[in-house]
Amino acid sequence: MLTHKQFFFRLWLVVLSLSASSANFAEELQQLSAQNVLVLYKNNDSHSKKIADYYAEKRHVPTAQVVSVDIKGSPSNINKKQFEAIIKQLKPSLTPDIKVILLTWHAPYRVECMSITSAFGLGFDKKYCSRPTKEIKGCHPTAISPYYNAASSTLWDSKTPFRLSMMLSGKTVSEAKNLIDRGIAADNSQPEADAYLVRSHDRSRSSRWPIFEKFAELWGERKGLTVNYVDDRPYKGKTRIKDKDKVMFYHTGLVTVPSIETNTYLPGAIAEHLTSGAGVGIDTNGQMKAFRWLEAGVTGSYGAVTEPCNYPAKFPNPQVLIPSYLDGKTLIEAYWKSVQQPGEGLFIGEPLARPWANVN
């Protein structure tokens, strides 16, 4: 028997579906496609160019929308002046039809205090930083993304001041190609899948656990997705999330997440861990990087490029992410919608993956 909370949640889902149905036709005419993607690669960087070319070939991105940018070497961070020079260079390519900017490199990943994906998406603005000046210390919230939990039509509004951006790369070109192939394989796959929302023993990094527990309690099963709240606090240094199959969502909080390579991730899977430096490059030093998720078989991930502190609003919210993805949005749309304060967070993965596409 359903509890009152479960009944009203499911009633809310029905009302939401009915209210959305009138907008479905319009949204179908405004669905993201390769025609809306600008693919950037670094000039004189064969690794970046090969990834860009493969992506354009497999996703059928028009040749004119594959553009080189002048970035010397692989600095982790570029300054505002350098970033503005890149935007100036790209101005002829940033037509109204371009809604997604895809970066086919793994460095640079920062523009001063912002992640580079947020800078490309929102424009460089220190209001999206915890510490916009040297005089400001400690932890602070930042400006809210205009796309947070917004209607998808917002992206198509002629007055919209933002785009969406994502990084797609790998330690090898082969890894990046495999990621692209997974994104394509996800399209309209309509999977039977599992989501794992995990409270770890790390109290600071598990600040999202009340969201996890509540959402799992109310969700039940919908479109073949089972949402599991897992209390892993007794398993310090270990986890019960190992040797799992059909994994589509995995959200947790740890410095390093154990056993991720033992799971089978479905095409289009999304996973991340709340920690301070998951977006700080692709190497294996220090905290576990978000790229480890991609290497394990995930299609999209997210990580902070500078100390964000453990504000839940600075990390993906599955209450927004999961319903949006299951309602047929692309990975990049659902992921961006789910982060209220993304200024310091790096989005990585294959942007057009769409497992629940409404394709006949």
Side-chain angles (χ1 to χ4, degrees), residues 280-311:
V280 182
I282 199 171
D283 61 41
T284 56
N285 299 323
Q287 298 183 354
M288 174 180 150
K289 306 303 189 293
F291 275 100
R292 301 293 88 78
W293 289 107
L294 302 188
E295 293 162 8
V298 168
T299 307
S301 191
Y302 177 90
V305 301
T306 185
E307 177 58 68
C309 299
N310 64 344
Y311 290 99

Side-chain angles (χ1 to χ4, degrees), residues 202-211 274 310-312 315:
D202 191 323
R203 182 176 179 180
S204 295
R205 292 176 174 84
S206 286
S207 58
R208 293 180 292 174
W209 78 263
I211 298 171
L274 190 158
N310 64 344
Y311 290 99
F315 292 86

